[in-house]
């Protein structure tokens, strides 16, 4: 059985502000508003700014639970 941890983190960051990897740190996402540059005629859609915080290492169970559910592991 192959666990695709990268895919799981990507899916979780879509709906959650952070995903903790126990003992390593956490990926965090911060919403960014849409912007309009009237001079250049460019519109930037809403997005998320991603970061990594090595100080958040306590397991909240989110990643493990998601991997269990997506791979039908008990």
């Amino acid at each position: 059985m192959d666990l695709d941890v990268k895919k799981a983190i990507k899916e979780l960051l879509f709906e959650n502000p952070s995903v903790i990897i126990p003992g390593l740190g956490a990926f965090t996402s911060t919403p960014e508003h849409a912007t309009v540059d009237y001079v250049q005629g460019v519109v930037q859609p809403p997005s998320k700014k991603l970061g990594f915080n090595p100080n958040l290492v306590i397991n909240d169970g989110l990643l493990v639970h998601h991997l269990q559910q997506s791979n039908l592991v008990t």
Side-chain angles (χ1 to χ4, degrees):
M1 168 185 356
D2 290 333
L3 297 177
D4 193 351
V5 178
K6 182 173 80 170
K7 180 181 175 189
I9 292 170
K10 179 181 174 182
E11 290 171 356
L12 288 169
L13 280 173
F14 188 75
E15 294 187 11
N16 298 282
S18 65
V19 176
I20 297 173
I21 302 167
L24 182 64
F27 289 100
T28 59
S29 65
T30 307
E32 298 283 323
H33 296 288
T35 59
V36 178
D37 184 341
Y38 294 104
V39 175
Q40 300 273 338
V42 177
V43 176
Q44 295 291 329
S47 61
K48 288 187 176 183
K49 183 177 179 182
L50 298 178
F52 184 77
N53 186 342
N55 298 316
L56 296 174
V57 294
I58 297 175
N59 187 6
D60 63 357
L62 183 67
L63 180 59
V64 172
H65 179 71
H66 182 77
L67 288 170
Q68 287 175 335
Q69 294 298 318
S70 63
N71 293 293
L72 301 175
V73 177
T74 56

